[in-house]
């Protein structure tokens, strides 16, 4: 994301928060094509809900009828929990990603407006 955060599989935020609590570095390895000029104004916009059957099987009939289970596919990890991004161009701090986006996409603000308009 343009602010240095990331969208990853569900559970990643919890792992990153635990690493931050224990002063362990979080290193994100991804290709430069994974960088996005979008800002996470609404965390739910980038998420999808999936069937909770993997977490709570439907055969648990009595329990399933008494609880509501929400199973998101992705987590948003804020930039405060990420120490460094590593891609084919090297290692970058989360606060520097906006500059990489400008170098790769030109003016990221104009690109973001074009994406929202479509």
């Amino acid at each position: 994301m343009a602010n240095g955060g990331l969208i990853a599989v569900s559970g990643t935020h919890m792992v990153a928060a635990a690493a931050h609590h224990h002063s362990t570095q979080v290193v994100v390895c991804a290709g430069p094509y994974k960088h996005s000029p979008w800002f996470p104004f609404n965390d739910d916009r980038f998420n999808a809900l999936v069937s909770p059957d993997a977490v709570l099987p439907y055969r648990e009939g009595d329990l399933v009828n008494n609880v509501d289970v929400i199973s998101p596919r992705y987590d948003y990890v804020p930039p405060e929990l990420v120490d460094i991004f590593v891609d084919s161009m090297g290692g970058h701090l989360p606060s520097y990603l906006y500059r990489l986006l400008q170098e790769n996409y030109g003016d990221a603000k104009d690109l973001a407006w074009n994406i929202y308009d479509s």
Side-chain angles (χ1 to χ4, degrees):
M1 313 276 343
N3 69 339
L6 65 123
I7 302 289
V9 296
S10 187
T12 306
H13 184 271
M14 182 173 49
V15 171
H20 183 74
H21 177 76
H22 291 286
S23 299
T24 302
Q25 290 186 341
V26 174
V27 178
V28 177
C29 298
Y33 65 92
K34 294 278 190 171
H35 299 304
S36 169
W38 288 357
F39 283 86
F41 295 120
N42 181 0
D43 295 348
D44 294 333
R45 177 172 183 228
F46 299 103
N47 214 338
L49 296 178
V50 295
S51 172
D53 187 48
V55 178
L56 183 64
Y58 292 117
R59 61 182 173 272
E60 304 286 336
D62 297 335
L63 184 59
V64 170
N65 294 333
N66 295 324
V67 297
D68 291 325
V69 179
I70 297 175
S71 182
R73 179 170 288 180
Y74 304 107
D75 269 348
Y76 168 70
V77 180
E80 299 83 36
L81 298 180
V82 178
D83 291 299
I84 193 166
F85 283 90
V86 178
D87 60 19
S88 61
M89 296 180 285
H92 313 287
L93 295 174
S95 60
Y96 185 69
L97 283 186
Y98 79 93
R99 183 74 177 134
L100 286 177
L101 289 169
Q102 262 187 335
E103 290 175 5
N104 291 334
Y105 294 108
D107 191 6
K109 181 177 65 172
D110 291 340
L111 181 61
W113 284 115
N114 292 338
I115 291 171
Y116 286 120
D117 289 341
S118 60

